[in-house]
Amino acid sequence: MEEQAVGRVESLPLAPEVDESLLKELVNHLREAREELRQEWVERISAAQLLGTMSPQEIFSEATAVYDNYVDTLETGSVERLQAYAQDLSERIVSRGVETHEVLGIVLLLRDVLARSLFQRYQTDFKKLNRILDAYEPAANRIAIIVGVSFVQERERVIGQQQATIRELSTPALQVRERLLILPIIGALDSPRATQLTEQLLGAISTNRAKVVVIDVTGVPAIDKKVANHIVETVRACRLMGAGVIITGLSPEIAQTLVTLGVDLSMMNTVGDLQGGIEAAERELGYRVIHPLEARPDEIT
Amino acid sequence: MPVPILKQGKYLIASVQSALSDREVLELQERLLDLVGKHRARGVIIDVGAMDVIDTFATRSFRTVVHTTKLRGAETVIVGIQPAVAFAMVRFGLWMDDVHTALDLEEGIALLDDLTDGADVTHER
């Protein structure tokens, strides 16, 4: 039963084969020794330099709550409250920058502290110690797993949320003139983002009936070979749909990378900056922009 | 059902209505070449807007059409490649850098007008 999937932890009894009286004795012991065990645990947390981002008072109050929940869970066998608490705790500490190894570290420390106190108490009665440990160990392990998993899940949730946010602000394809789109790319490009960008752009070409697309990469700090090839693919895909692509704002570093990597640039149409790109695109589409003062050039400068 | 090929002025328009089997692609290729000569067409448009998949074979066949009709004196434009199809094609390394492409039929005709501009001999009495 130890191999059960972690996700189904809550449906399992904590220590089904252990008789009630032992568990009760264990819980009573932990209740009686609450003050000193908690103190020892907190000391060991600070000795191990865990939870550096939290103040000693915070660590103490969280430790108290974890300890009480821990004992409650041992007593009742129901992990629901512990799970709710672990989730709540994770929500509070993930944003504080607490790391996974710290969370696992403190839970394992508590496990060790409690185990030692059991050794001490039952040192004269080895048989009983064994039976008590039979009750204690599976439960303690499961509690450690619950706390660890809920922390990791919370972190994943936060990361997922952030990724979604980034994706949303990712890449707007904007129409600046009839049949002319610009796509300003800001921030690092990775493969998933480049893929998503291509899909969006192709859709925009279709809906806006674009004939020229200016892709501006001024805001891209660096690219690797994979992403460079993605850009080439994007250019090709746009061409298949009948739209020409002008790439602008290649930084010296990126230009150098592209040449060093030997990316096939034969069909890339590049212009120095966004302004130049838009002007080139306008020429291609037959637009001519005339300054109202152009008729009297002496007044311009 | 064979792909309908319409004559519109000096252009031929082949409008693909559904996914094509390899046989149908070959057949289209043959008929187009034949009709280019018969109608003395100056341009060919292949509208693939209804195709969900354009595979290696179709890509190669379209390119063959483009090159062979060129030898027969007509320019060919492929129009209507869907966004998802274009994306899939470049993903699989299929592209048509040497082929004229346009967004849709209207664009294709405009492009052919550009490409064949001035090539017409007008008869002046």
Side-chain angles (χ1 to χ4, degrees):
Chain A
M1 65 128 192
E2 286 303 300
E3 286 91 17
Q4 293 287 349
V6 173
R8 278 183 287 137
V9 154
E10 65 274 24
S11 61
L12 297 167
L14 281 173
E17 75 280 7
V18 173
D19 75 71
E20 289 291 316
S21 61
L22 268 177
L23 206 57
K24 208 163 193 136
E25 191 176 336
L26 171 65
V27 168
N28 282 338
H29 166 65
L30 295 180
R31 285 248 161 82
E32 277 160 26
R34 175 170 178 255
E35 296 294 314
E36 64 185 281
L37 288 177
R38 184 181 57 190
Q39 192 53 41
E40 190 187 338
W41 183 35
V42 171
E43 275 162 18
R44 288 194 55 186
I45 289 175
S46 41
Q49 297 190 331
L50 295 170
L51 299 179
T53 57
M54 293 167 79
S55 70
Q57 290 83 1
E58 280 175 308
I59 295 180
F60 188 78
S61 66
E62 294 294 359
T64 309
V66 173
Y67 188 97
D68 292 344
N69 264 297
Y70 203 101
V71 179
D72 280 352
T73 307
L74 280 175
E75 184 181 29
T76 59
S78 143
V79 296
E80 271 158 30
R81 268 188 55 201
L82 176 72
Q83 214 153 28
Y85 174 75
Q87 200 181 341
D88 180 55
L89 175 70
S90 305
E91 274 170 28
R92 272 179 286 135
I93 62 179
V94 163
S95 57
R96 307 277 303 263
V98 174
E99 297 291 334
T100 316
H101 75 263
E102 292 181 300
V103 171
L104 293 178
I106 60 170
V107 179
L108 294 178
L109 275 180
L110 176 60
R111 184 175 172 272
D112 296 346
V113 168
L114 300 189
R116 278 196 194 192
S117 86
L118 294 177
F119 293 148
Q120 205 167 25
R121 167 148 187 189
Y122 298 105
Q123 56 191 331
T124 50
D125 187 350
F126 189 67
K127 250 190 196 142
K128 186 149 190 199
L129 172 64
N130 255 332
R131 281 168 53 215
I132 286 274
L133 284 179
D134 278 345
Y136 171 73
E137 279 167 354
N141 288 350
R142 186 141 304 136
I143 290 169
I145 290 172
I146 287 170
V147 174
V149 165
S150 89
F151 181 80
V152 171
Q153 275 173 347
E154 174 63 16
R155 249 167 73 122
E156 277 170 3
R157 195 185 64 78
V158 170
I159 292 171
Q161 216 171 33
Q162 286 168 346
Q163 274 177 342
T165 315
I166 293 168
R167 262 200 300 277
E168 269 171 31
L169 357 130
S170 201
T171 40
L174 309 167
Q175 175 158 329
V176 279
R177 294 207 191 293
E178 192 101 334
R179 329 220 49 195
L180 168 55
L181 287 180
I182 59 171
L183 183 81
I185 306 177
I186 313 279
L189 264 184
D190 53 7
S191 261
R193 191 169 169 218
T195 305
Q196 190 220 2
L197 184 148
T198 310
E199 280 172 352
Q200 263 183 11
L201 178 59
L202 294 178
I205 288 175
S206 169
T207 49
N208 295 309
R209 296 180 46 84
K211 198 158 185 191
V212 180
V213 180
V214 178
I215 300 181
D216 180 63
V217 294
T218 314
V220 180
I223 56 175
D224 58 11
K225 180 152 195 168
K226 225 170 148 190
V227 174
N229 283 323
H230 260 299
I231 293 179
V232 176
E233 275 181 11
T234 307
V235 174
R236 287 211 153 101
C238 291
R239 274 223 39 191
L240 283 176
M241 295 189 58
V245 177
I246 297 173
I247 297 193
T248 66
L250 284 168
S251 67
E253 293 80 21
I254 293 185
Q256 213 146 29
T257 317
L258 288 178
V259 173
T260 322
L261 290 174
V263 176
D264 176 18
L265 300 170
S266 53
M267 30 105 58
M268 298 262 262
N269 186 1
T270 56
V271 176
D273 58 10
L274 182 59
Q275 182 185 345
I278 292 177
E279 282 164 6
E282 283 169 341
R283 271 198 300 282
E284 211 164 298
L285 290 168
Y287 287 108
R288 223 160 66 85
V289 182
I290 299 170
H291 196 283
L293 295 178
E294 210 161 86
R296 289 176 290 169
D298 49 321
E299 287 184 18
I300 295 175
T301 49
Chain B
M1 194 188 80
V3 177
I5 300 177
L6 312 171
K7 181 171 175 295
Q8 156 74 38
K10 52 187 179 172
Y11 305 140
L12 292 177
I13 301 170
S15 174
V16 181
Q17 304 292 331
S18 59
L20 292 182
S21 68
D22 291 359
R23 251 185 66 87
E24 287 167 321
V25 172
L26 283 177
E27 194 202 51
L28 173 66
Q29 186 181 329
E30 269 170 41
R31 278 172 57 224
L32 272 176
L33 282 175
D34 201 35
L35 288 172
V36 164
K38 198 165 147 197
H39 295 302
R40 307 192 65 238
R42 304 301 324 278
V44 176
I45 292 177
I46 304 177
D47 185 351
V48 296
M51 290 179 83
D52 296 332
V53 177
I54 298 181
D55 60 8
T56 326
F57 187 80
T59 307
R60 210 185 54 201
S61 303
F62 288 149
R63 281 161 76 172
T64 311
V65 172
V66 170
H67 294 304
T68 46
T69 55
K70 176 101 187 162
L71 292 175
R72 306 263 284 150
E75 293 284 352
T76 298
V77 179
I78 311 281
V79 305
I81 297 178
Q82 296 298 313
V85 175
F87 190 60
M89 284 175 73
V90 293
R91 265 301 154 86
F92 289 112
L94 307 174
W95 54 77
M96 307 202 241
D97 290 355
D98 47 354
V99 174
H100 295 293
T101 47
L103 190 67
D104 53 22
L105 194 56
E106 199 184 326
E107 285 298 302
I109 291 176
L111 180 58
L112 274 184
D113 284 343
D114 278 352
L115 289 171
T116 60
D117 198 14
D120 275 328
V121 179
T122 46
H123 192 269
E124 287 185 34
R125 258 183 205 271

